[in-house]
């Protein structure tokens, strides 16, 4: 996976095309910066660094990220670990937006990968009962 870099002051916007799911949050949120029909498609001069960081935080796939000093860009890292035949454990800080729009904040979550959990998007251990492989 290779990332393209776009520099704005003390932050760098990284874009990884392999991760992009084309949700268009970036384009709809900051059309003066994210211009998919132009080259380069990310034009950091179109908004303040703060606005760009805020918009990058809305990228659902992680295809967009910020590189730089954590204090200057406001993005803290989360880590994810995929367990064989089990859930994905993500350590935060996390803000999860549910399908009904409600939000949950937590420091750690186990997300279902088997699709059979009764507590979606969270894992309830059903993967063991159904012999999930993945």
């Amino acid at each position: 996976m290779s990332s393209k870099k776009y520099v704005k002051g003390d932050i760098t916007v990284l874009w990884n095309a392999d991760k992009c799911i084309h949700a268009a949050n970036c384009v709809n949120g900051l059309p003066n910066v994210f211009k998919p029909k132009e080259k380069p498609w990310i034009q950091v001069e179109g908004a303040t660094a703060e606005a760009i960081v805020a918009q990058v935080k809305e990228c659902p796939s992680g295809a967009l990220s910020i590189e730089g000093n954590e204090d200057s860009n406001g993005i803290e890292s989360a880590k994810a670990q995929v367990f064989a035949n089990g859930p994905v454990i993500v350590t935060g800080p996390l803000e999860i937006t549910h399908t009904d729009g409600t939000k949950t904040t937590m420091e750690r979550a186990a997300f279902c990968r088997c699709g059979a959990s009764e507590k979606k998007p969270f894992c309830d251990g059903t993967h063991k009962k159904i012999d999930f492989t993945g």
Side-chain angles (χ1 to χ4, degrees), residues 70-116:
E70 182 177 311
D71 293 336
S72 68
N73 68 38
I75 293 181
E76 299 178 45
S77 25
K79 293 184 170 66
Q81 183 177 1
V82 178
F83 282 83
N85 308 322
V88 174
I89 305 294
V90 181
T91 55
L94 305 172
E95 179 182 87
I96 301 161
T97 303
H98 300 275
T99 55
D100 65 1
T102 61
K103 294 185 180 194
T104 304
T105 57
M106 53 185 51
E107 290 296 317
R108 179 183 195 98
F111 292 101
C112 175
R113 287 197 312 131
C114 73

Side-chain angles (χ1 to χ4, degrees), residues 1 3-4 8 10 16 24-26 36 47 50 58 61 66-68 81 88 95-98 113 117 123 126 132:
M1 286 190 280
S3 293
K4 291 197 176 195
K8 169 99 176 175
D10 60 352
N16 184 323
N25 290 12
C26 55
E50 294 78 18
E58 300 300 318
S61 67
I66 299 291
E67 180 180 85
Q81 183 177 1
V88 174
E95 179 182 87
I96 301 161
T97 303
H98 300 275
R113 287 197 312 131
S117 173
C123 176
T126 301
F132 171 71

Side-chain angles (χ1 to χ4, degrees), residues 23-55:
N25 290 12
C26 55
V27 176
N28 294 329
L30 272 181
N32 290 335
V33 173
F34 300 100
K35 301 177 178 186
K37 294 181 180 178
E38 296 183 24
K39 290 198 179 212
W41 85 277
I42 298 176
Q43 299 177 13
V44 293
E45 63 278 358
T48 65
E50 294 78 18
I52 293 169
V53 167
Q55 191 59 53

